[in-house]
Every structure is written in C-alpha cells, then in structure tokens.
Amino acid sequence: MCGPLFLFVLYSICYMCYTSPVAKLGSARVDALVRTRAELLQQLSSLSGLLAGSSFERFSICSRPACRCHEGERHGPRLYVTTTHGKKQVQHYVPQEQRRAVLDGIRQYGRLLRIVEKVTALNLTLMRGGMLDEYKK
C-alpha cells in the first residue's frame, strides 16, 4: 500500500512544508515584517521639509571699511547649510527667519536615512526568507 510513488509524494510535501520560505520565517513573522515596513514607509509623507545637508555657524566680516567687524567684533553667528550637488559642496546662507525650518529639515533628512536603513534591513530579511517578491506592497 505504501509504494515508492506514495512515499515520494509524501516526502515532497514534507520537504516543501519545512523548507519553504514561509516555514523559514513563519507567516506571522513575515506579516510582522511587512507591517513594520509599511509603517516606516508611511512616515515618509511627514518629511516634506527635508534638506539633505548639514549646518554650521560662522562669524563674518563685511565690506564696510569703518565697521566694527574690522576691529575684531565680527558679525554673527550666521547659519549656513551645506548641500552637495554632484561632487561639489555648496554653502547656502540661512536667513534668521528660516533658521528653525532649515534645522528641522536637516533633522528630517536624518530621519529619512534611518528609515531607509530599517526598510533595507527588513527587505533583506524577507529576501533571505525568499519572500521579498511576494510582499511588494
């Protein structure tokens, strides 16, 4: 009654169940990974003011020869944001009224990078389990 064909089919079913990607990760684990990824990606919509750059402050000397800044009392501190365009760094002066928005935009950029790292880690876990293609939502 247990012929070679029956044993082969039984073995194949057991092999597929215990070596399938879902069995490696577990369907609950896969669902949790996908849900976490969706939550992270949802956060991207709140990063509308992001600025890919860094900030620094400096004191400066103006072009008026009689100004006190030429005697050692420089103007500032003034905020600048540095961005990269191609291979070139560019410094942009930040007006005082834009200071808070610029610093917040730089923080948002940091948040973006952390989200990208987390989503990458989740996708690599799904990939190792063979489930990345099944969960492109």
Side-chain angles (χ1 to χ4, degrees), residues 50-55 80-84 90 102 105-107 109-110 113:
L50 73 86
L51 287 170
S54 59
S55 66
Y80 289 82
V81 63
T82 302
T83 58
T84 304
V90 180
V102 166
I106 292 169
R107 279 191 291 278
Y109 180 62
L113 294 177

Side-chain angles (χ1 to χ4, degrees), residues 5-124:
L5 182 60
F6 175 76
L7 290 174
F8 175 75
V9 170
L10 182 61
Y11 171 79
S12 297
I13 291 171
C14 290
Y15 179 80
M16 287 189 303
C17 288
Y18 291 105
T19 61
S20 74
V22 175
K24 288 179 190 175
L25 289 176
S27 62
R29 173 91 169 116
V30 170
D31 290 341
L33 290 170
V34 171
R35 189 171 39 257
T36 302
R37 181 179 64 186
E39 291 167 2
L40 287 168
L41 293 174
Q42 184 78 28
Q43 293 176 25
L44 294 177
S45 63
S46 68
L47 305 178
S48 62
L50 73 86
L51 287 170
S54 59
S55 66
F56 67 94
E57 292 181 327
R58 73 175 173 207
F59 291 84
S60 60
I61 298 173
C62 71
S63 61
R64 295 177 300 190
C67 184
R68 60 184 157 79
C69 67
H70 292 280
E71 302 297 321
E73 193 177 327
R74 295 184 175 191
H75 299 286
R78 292 186 174 151
L79 183 68
Y80 289 82
V81 63
T82 302
T83 58
T84 304
H85 301 278
K87 293 183 180 182
K88 185 176 181 182
Q89 281 192 344
V90 180
Q91 296 177 3
H92 307 273
Y93 169 71
V94 178
Q96 187 66 30
E97 63 274 4
Q98 293 293 304
R99 185 180 188 93
R100 180 176 286 147
V102 166
L103 294 174
D104 186 51
I106 292 169
R107 279 191 291 278
Q108 286 182 22
Y109 180 62
R111 179 67 184 140
L112 171 71
L113 294 177
R114 289 188 297 279
I115 290 171
V116 168
E117 288 174 0
K118 289 178 182 180
V119 170
T120 298
L122 292 169
N123 283 340
L124 287 172

